[in-house]
Amino acid sequence: NTDCDSVHANERVGALDPPALTHQPVLPFKNADAAYILSFSTIMLNTDLHNPNMKEERRMTLEQFIRNNRGINDGADLPVEFLTSLYQEIKNDEIKMKADLDDIIMQKGMENVDSDVQFDGFLSKASDVAAPFFTAANSAREITMAGIHERDMFLSISSAAVQAMAGVFVESWDDALVIKALDGLYNASQICLYFKLYDQFNEILSLLLGYAHDYVTSVTALLLSESLNDSDFSTEDFPPISKYFLAKLKSGQFKNPVVHFGPEDVVGSAAHRGLMSLDCALMLCKSNLSAINESWQDLLDVIFALREVEV
């Protein structure tokens, strides 16, 4: 949880008050943005130094950490001694989240976890749930545009989030879940465009075009084998295209929030996920041609595949 990590990072940064100040601790920050950026940088440092999958020679050095945080203090640099102390603190003492029941079960397996531990774990989880928090109506009307902090935060999670959503989209046979995963990929692409993260946008687009290309080539092979009577499987065995997708095509939009669909309306979405991916990818291409760079090859592959079946 990034918010929890940020809290731990803030606590670790806050513990580094200059030792000479005994009464009123003063941190070397000129504004709140500097503390926020350094807390975020500390999370990245913690991950970099303690990731078991990273080679030692690729871990962040003290010099790199200091260089990465230049100019964050309202245009000025933070004291080198302060950053050095923080680096050594994180290197010697990893920021760790409190282990919960899920961690124990993943390590030992459910059958090896004592029932008392399971029950205590559930009680602990219940006590850790935060109280409901609501934003006042007048505050909610004040729309704040996302800035550099939100951009950096999105960058830190985008790769893992996109891979997770892509995995669900490809592997799941739950029709509603497949639609939600595709919505997530689409939303991630829109965030990339907002922040002008065109490399990340093209990564998502390439994923969608890849799924679309696989779908078109599979349908082509199926139609060919069906015409040659060379397969026991035919297009008649395919479930129909979902009402959800057909309604969306009619609306001409990727999303239609006005229309509400029931479970029966999304049946067939998983079987035709490639078709939905094709539609999503082509709509993104049509609306954002200037943002396409690395995914041009994938787009052309899809266009040529469509041409072969005379779409």
Side-chain angles (χ1 to χ4, degrees):
N1 184 298
T2 307
D3 289 339
C4 293
D5 288 341
S6 182
V7 169
H8 285 281
N10 273 299
E11 290 174 351
R12 193 65 64 85
V13 170
L16 298 174
D17 292 336
L21 302 176
T22 56
H23 298 294
Q24 184 65 33
V26 178
L27 289 168
F29 303 119
K30 294 184 178 180
N31 54 35
D33 285 349
Y36 182 94
I37 295 172
L38 183 61
S39 295
F40 179 75
S41 180
T42 302
I43 297 173
M44 298 297 99
L45 174 66
N46 185 74
T47 303
D48 192 279
L49 292 180
H50 299 286
N51 184 350
N53 298 320
M54 182 174 290
K55 296 181 179 179
E56 288 299 323
E57 61 269 18
R58 299 195 64 183
R59 297 190 188 280
M60 189 183 302
T61 64
L62 172 60
E63 292 73 20
Q64 290 172 330
F65 180 65
I66 294 174
R67 184 171 64 248
N68 291 345
N69 290 287
R70 283 178 181 168
I72 68 171
N73 199 20
D74 198 21
D77 294 342
L78 289 166
V80 174
E81 299 80 6
F82 179 79
L83 293 176
T84 301
S85 179
L86 176 58
Y87 180 91
Q88 296 300 334
E89 171 79 10
I90 298 301
K91 183 177 181 179
N92 297 328
D93 187 10
E94 179 186 1
I95 298 176
K96 293 182 178 179
M97 300 298 294
K98 182 176 65 175
D100 61 12
L101 180 63
D102 293 338
D103 299 323
I104 298 173
I105 292 174
M106 287 184 66
Q107 292 173 3
K108 299 183 177 181
M110 176 66 81
E111 66 279 1
N112 297 320
V113 179
D114 186 77
S115 58
D116 290 339
V117 174
Q118 296 180 28
F119 185 71
D120 291 342
F122 288 125
L123 290 180
S124 175
K125 279 194 169 185
S127 63
D128 287 342
V129 174
F133 176 81
F134 300 98
T135 303
N138 56 344
S139 300
R141 296 192 186 98
E142 298 175 5
I143 299 176
T144 304
M145 300 298 290
I148 184 65
H149 303 322
E150 290 80 7
R151 180 183 185 275
D152 290 344
M153 195 67 74
F154 174 74
L155 265 177
S156 71
I157 66 170
S158 61
S159 178
V162 167
Q163 291 301 320
M165 290 184 289
V168 172
F169 181 72
V170 172
E171 300 294 337
S172 177
W173 282 96
D174 184 305
D175 293 310
L177 202 55
V178 167
I179 290 175
K180 288 181 179 179
L182 184 59
D183 283 349
L185 292 171
Y186 175 83
N187 290 334
S189 73
Q190 297 305 295
I191 297 174
C192 291
L193 291 169
Y194 175 82
F195 287 127
K196 295 181 172 58
L197 300 172
Y198 297 125
D199 288 343
Q200 288 74 15
F201 169 77
N202 278 266
E203 289 177 8
I204 297 173
L205 186 57
S206 290
L207 281 174
L208 295 172
L209 288 169
Y211 303 147
H213 183 266
D214 291 344
Y215 180 81
V216 174
T217 53
S218 296
V219 171
T220 303
L222 177 61
L223 291 173
L224 179 61
S225 63
E226 191 177 46
S227 65
L228 298 175
N229 295 319
D230 193 30
S231 174
D232 296 330
F233 189 76
S234 71
T235 52
E236 295 180 356
D237 297 310
F238 261 99
I241 297 174
S242 68
K243 296 178 182 178
Y244 163 84
F245 182 69
L246 293 175
K248 187 176 67 65
L249 284 180
K250 188 176 182 180
S251 71
Q253 301 177 355
F254 182 76
K255 289 188 174 182
N256 190 349
V258 178
V259 180
H260 299 281
F261 296 93
E264 69 282 356
D265 298 319
V266 300
V267 173
S269 296
H272 295 283
R273 72 190 81 204
L275 181 60
M276 296 195 301
S277 181
L278 173 64
D279 172 65
C280 180
L282 293 181
M283 289 189 71
L284 286 173
C285 292
K286 180 180 178 181
S287 305
N288 306 282
L289 279 175
S290 61
I292 301 175
N293 44 55
E294 296 295 331
S295 53
W296 268 115
Q297 179 66 50
D298 301 304
L299 175 58
L300 290 174
D301 287 342
V302 170
I303 292 174
F304 294 147
L306 291 171
R307 183 178 182 275
E308 289 180 7
V309 291
E310 300 178 354
V311 173

